[in-house]
Amino acid sequence: MSTDSDSSGKAERDRHLHVRLSDDRSSIYDLITEYLQASGKAPDWYWRIAGRLEGTEADNFEEIISSAFEAGAFVAHDHPEDLEFRWVTEEECERERRREERGAEGEAAKKERSSLSHYA
């Protein structure tokens, strides 16, 4: 027997997190660079390695992933006003994706989604 609370609980479990920049003019790259500088890491090295990563450099890959995770925490802590968090279902995600691709944002929406979306 299924109840409304069972179906709402299932819907909650089936959601995933979308993280977006709240301002279309903001750049995730600028925020990550700010984090790298604040943490004493070399932004040039990070962006060079990230740009040519093909999975062959296991040690660098771990550093890149760790730094990206730390940068996300930094941005969420030091720049919460720059981020929007939304828990969405697959259906909501697909509707949002289609709307963005058809909408005026076009290429900007695709670029943002590929660089920052889908965590969790």
Side-chain angles (χ1 to χ4, degrees), residues 32 35-36 41 46 61-75 119:
I32 291 172
Y35 155 73
L36 291 166
K41 298 183 180 187
Y46 182 88
F61 185 70
E62 185 174 334
E63 176 66 23
I64 294 294
I65 295 299
S66 295
S67 292
F69 185 77
E70 292 167 356
F74 169 83
V75 171
Y119 291 94

Side-chain angles (χ1 to χ4, degrees), residues 16-119:
H16 62 271
L17 182 61
H18 278 198
V19 179
R20 303 273 196 237
L21 294 174
S22 57
D23 185 349
D24 293 338
R25 295 168 298 205
S26 295
S27 167
I28 189 62
Y29 302 107
D30 292 343
L31 294 172
I32 291 172
T33 298
E34 180 182 333
Y35 155 73
L36 291 166
Q37 290 169 334
S39 67
K41 298 183 180 187
D44 291 343
W45 174 86
Y46 182 88
W47 292 120
R48 246 189 339 272
I49 295 297
R52 63 185 162 132
L53 252 183
E54 296 182 19
T56 58
E57 302 176 37
D59 293 338
N60 287 336
F61 185 70
E62 185 174 334
E63 176 66 23
I64 294 294
I65 295 299
S66 295
S67 292
F69 185 77
E70 292 167 356
F74 169 83
V75 171
H77 183 267
D78 286 11
H79 297 280
E81 71 284 354
D82 290 332
L83 300 176
E84 293 176 358
F85 299 93
R86 287 190 53 230
W87 287 95
V88 298
T89 63
E90 284 299 322
E91 184 179 286
E92 292 168 329
C93 178
E94 200 53 42
R95 277 195 310 259
E96 182 179 316
R97 182 176 292 130
R98 283 191 299 261
R99 186 173 49 248
E100 286 176 351
E101 288 174 354
R102 281 193 312 259
E105 295 180 38
E107 285 303 310
K110 289 179 190 175
K111 181 179 176 184
E112 177 187 330
R113 192 172 58 251
S114 68
S115 65
L116 186 60
S117 200
H118 287 95
Y119 291 94

Side-chain angles (χ1 to χ4, degrees), residues 2-15:
S2 179
T3 65
D4 287 339
S5 63
D6 289 342
S7 61
S8 70
K10 181 177 174 3
E12 285 301 313
R13 285 190 306 272
D14 291 340
R15 293 181 181 272

